[in-house]
Amino acid sequence: MHSPHPVFSLRRLAMTACLMMPAIACADLFDDGHPDLIPTSQFPAPVEPNSWRGILRINCDFSHAAYDDPLLFPGQPGAAHYHKFYGYTGTDAQLHAEALYAPVPEGATVSTCQGNQLNRSAYWIPALLAPLYDESGARVIDEDGEPAWQVVDAVVGGDDVAHEIFYYSAAVDELHTIVAPPPGLSIIAGTGSANSADPQDMAIARWHCQSWEATDAGNPDFRPYIPECTAPDRVRMDLFFPSCWNGVDLDSPDHKSHMAYPEQVGGLMVCPESHPVPLPRVSYHYAFPVRPENADPASRSSRGWRLASDMYTVSDNEPGGYSLHGDWINGWHVEVMDEIVRGCIQGALDCHDGNLANGYRLSGTSEGIQNRLPIENAGMGLHAGSEHAVIFGPELAGAWFEPATAGQGLFISSDAAGSTLFAGWFTYQGPSETSPGAHRWWTIQGDYADANSELTIYLTEGGDFDAATPTSTRPAGAATMAFEDCNSATLDYRFDTGEAGTIELLRLLPVADTACEYR
């Protein structure tokens, strides 16, 4: 039996956001007016039967490209694969959610989405790439001697229904229970480590050719990989974010655990007890045109296309696109999001063109700098090796040893969320004038976010064998730890005494590489 979620008033949530982030205007936006609110006499139609429950669809133009990811690689410019960013124009490796609500000059363009200042949300996905061929149909080789690639641009921008790419919809059946997402909420949807051996659930990430006219209700013809769509068809992509919130956290170490997908109970789609608060479901819907300049010459199709996040060799037996995923940080003005929830979603309407179902629509899209970057390492970036780093979690707990020196290693554990690492480090203390070399036991503990750790080394002193003798513990140094895969890791240490070094570690009992989650 599902317990009811906490009762949230949309207006109270908006006022709470005002107190948390004073830059958010707390006046009545629709009474006072705003340059990004356009009066309209058009009213949205009700949703079609067996379709969306209630939805707002908006257009956004392409903003910029970067090898950045402020969620997985915060403060590390150039550390990610090739991303294409939409919405907030200032999204980079240094982005913090507070920036989406900072004061800006009146009339300034800060977003490429409909709504501009009222919709500063940050949206990004890995770039879609196609093999580059010359006029004879031969594969072009880049300056590093590797096969060259080109970016496939999506059909975006302009106030046109055909270009709407971001949806906010109801994923649960009881529409009145849906509340506005909190400012700064951050989510990742999809799994960047997916491949043909471990494909994603197509209820979350999927591809299809536009000519297939695929729909969930009547023709669910979807693929977990990029299909071969023949020119002039379009390759379509759908990505659905989790919409059930735990009611507490704006983010989590894996950027997913604070959210969950609805489940069916008693014939109704509801949020699970662990994540009881229903929010609007964010989803991405892109269309990529297959044209002579990006098509495979032999088949005139999207054969060979891949995502910059595909960490495998694309072939006929393993097509690209399995790693489809996306990121979203909420930057909506709280009053506008309230109206979206109340009018479009709870009102069971199909709101197009930024129509808010209250006599206003959002202002139009804007172009970003729309830059193009060199495609490094098939889009995986210059730090592709580090992109294989494992996201730390409980599955990495256990015994690890240093093969270069017998008798040294770590016993690793973590909390349930994978946000805190604890390790017992058994090693040696070198011989001195007064004592021979002997085993030494240190403990290591600290926060672990994604694949980044900041750990403290502790020394426990005093105590007798098998006796309740008082002991004391003090910090003795610092360390960082990174897992290259499920079975290998490195520990970098630096003691307060000045000693420093790196230890290579292997798991004592190896596990399948698919047991871990990769970023």
Side-chain angles (χ1 to χ4, degrees):
M1 183 71 180
H2 278 69
S3 59
H5 67 75
V7 177
F8 285 83
S9 159
L10 297 179
R11 184 61 61 183
R12 190 167 77 242
L13 184 61
M15 294 307 296
T16 301
C18 290
L19 296 174
M20 291 170 54
M21 297 183 178
I24 299 175
C26 297
D28 191 322
L29 182 73
F30 295 94
D31 285 347
D32 295 345
H34 191 281
D36 292 315
L37 287 176
I38 311 300
T40 179
S41 59
Q42 295 183 340
F43 193 80
V47 294
E48 296 288 337
N50 300 316
S51 181
W52 306 92
R53 298 173 179 87
I55 184 171
L56 170 80
R57 313 175 197 233
I58 63 166
N59 303 309
C60 293
D61 210 339
F62 168 47
S63 175
H64 61 282
Y67 285 93
D68 289 351
D69 191 322
L71 291 185
L72 289 184
F73 296 92
Q76 301 177 61
H81 48 249
Y82 195 130
H83 279 118
K84 300 194 74 174
F85 294 87
Y86 301 79
Y88 183 62
T89 56
T91 305
D92 59 16
Q94 311 295 340
L95 177 68
H96 295 279
E98 291 82 359
L100 304 178
Y101 294 92
V104 295
E106 183 176 351
T109 299
V110 293
S111 173
T112 63
C113 291
Q114 287 181 302
N116 186 25
Q117 294 188 13
L118 304 179
N119 177 17
R120 305 185 206 173
S121 299
Y123 312 77
W124 66 97
I125 58 169
L128 182 63
L129 306 175
L132 184 61
Y133 298 93
D134 63 20
E135 293 180 356
S136 69
R139 187 71 185 272
V140 174
I141 302 301
D142 65 20
E143 59 185 17
D144 296 321
E146 298 294 330
W149 298 86
Q150 59 181 316
V151 174
V152 181
D153 293 319
V155 181
V156 297
D159 301 326
D160 187 324
V161 170
H163 299 169
E164 292 170 330
I165 54 173
F166 299 128
Y167 297 1
Y168 293 82
S169 63
V172 298
D173 286 318
E174 296 179 329
L175 303 184
H176 68 278
T177 65
I178 299 173
V179 300
L185 183 69
S186 303
I187 317 173
I188 291 179
T191 302
S193 60
N195 53 40
S196 62
D198 188 21
Q200 300 193 65
D201 184 344
M202 285 187 287
I204 297 174
R206 66 196 191 192
W207 302 85
H208 57 104
C209 298
Q210 184 164 294
S211 62
W212 297 351
E213 298 182 351
T215 63
D216 288 293
N219 179 33
D221 192 3
F222 302 105
R223 304 286 187 276
Y225 54 83
I226 301 168
E228 292 187 11
C229 306
T230 303
D233 207 346
R234 290 177 175 178
V235 174
R236 298 298 302 259
M237 172 269 274
D238 303 313
L239 180 66
F240 297 92
F241 283 67
S243 58
C244 297
W245 181 40
N246 67 9
V248 177
D249 302 303
L250 297 180
D251 202 352
S252 53
D254 62 357
H255 314 291
K256 295 181 178 181
S257 299
H258 59 306
M259 303 294 298
Y261 288 90
E263 58 189 20
Q264 192 166 52
V265 177
L268 291 176
M269 292 301 294
V270 299
C271 284
E273 292 180 353
S274 60
H275 297 74
V277 185
L279 306 178
R281 176 180 58 188
V282 181
S283 58
Y284 295 0
H285 305 270
Y286 283 81
F288 300 92
V290 184
R291 295 171 173 154
E293 59 267 28
N294 61 31
D296 169 69
S299 62
R300 297 179 51 253
S301 75
S302 52
R303 178 184 298 171
W305 289 15
R306 68 184 303 276
L307 288 172
S309 54
D310 287 335
M311 298 295 172
Y312 57 87
T313 300
V314 172
S315 66
D316 291 346
N317 294 326
E318 189 164 26
Y322 280 105
S323 68
L324 177 58
H325 64 283
D327 304 61
W328 177 77
I329 303 177
N330 181 27
W332 281 93
H333 190 290
V334 290
E335 287 186 79
V336 174
M337 180 51 72
D338 282 356
E339 289 298 304
I340 293 169
V341 171
R342 183 192 61 80
C344 297
I345 296 175
Q346 293 182 343
L349 300 177
D350 191 347
C351 297
H352 284 280
D353 192 30
N355 194 313
L356 302 176
N358 64 352
Y360 290 94
R361 66 171 179 84
L362 300 172
S363 59
T365 60
S366 299
E367 290 186 0
I369 62 172
Q370 301 190 346
N371 60 320
R372 288 184 178 273
L373 300 174
I375 299 176
E376 306 284 358
N377 194 16
M380 293 182 286
L382 296 175
H383 303 278
S386 67
E387 291 216 317
H388 285 282
V390 175
I391 297 177
F392 180 71
E395 65 274 8
L396 294 171
W400 294 71
F401 71 102
E402 182 187 12
T405 308
Q408 298 200 65
L410 282 78
F411 284 104
I412 299 174
S413 185
S414 78
D415 62 347
S419 59
T420 301
L421 179 148
F422 175 84
W425 179 14
F426 52 97
T427 182
Y428 294 99
Q429 177 177 327
S432 66
E433 294 181 358
T434 58
S435 65
H439 265 107
R440 166 58 62 88
W441 184 272
W442 306 89
T443 53
I444 304 174
Q445 184 172 334
D447 294 333
Y448 209 109
D450 300 320
N452 306 307
S453 63
E454 289 296 334
L455 310 172
T456 301
I457 303 172
Y458 294 95
L459 172 64
T460 300
E461 300 173 301
D464 293 321
F465 177 74
D466 198 26
T469 306
T471 61
S472 62
T473 301
R474 61 178 176 85
T480 59
M481 193 166 187
F483 296 86
E484 283 73 39
D485 54 44
C486 286
N487 299 298
S488 60
T490 56
L491 176 72
D492 293 299
Y493 64 88
R494 51 196 180 280
F495 286 98
D496 294 341
T497 57
E499 298 169 280
T502 299
I503 296 175
E504 303 291 337
L505 297 165
L506 297 177
R507 188 193 284 268
L508 184 62
L509 299 174
V511 298
D513 207 38
T514 55
C516 300
E517 183 176 358
Y518 292 79
R519 60 183 185 186

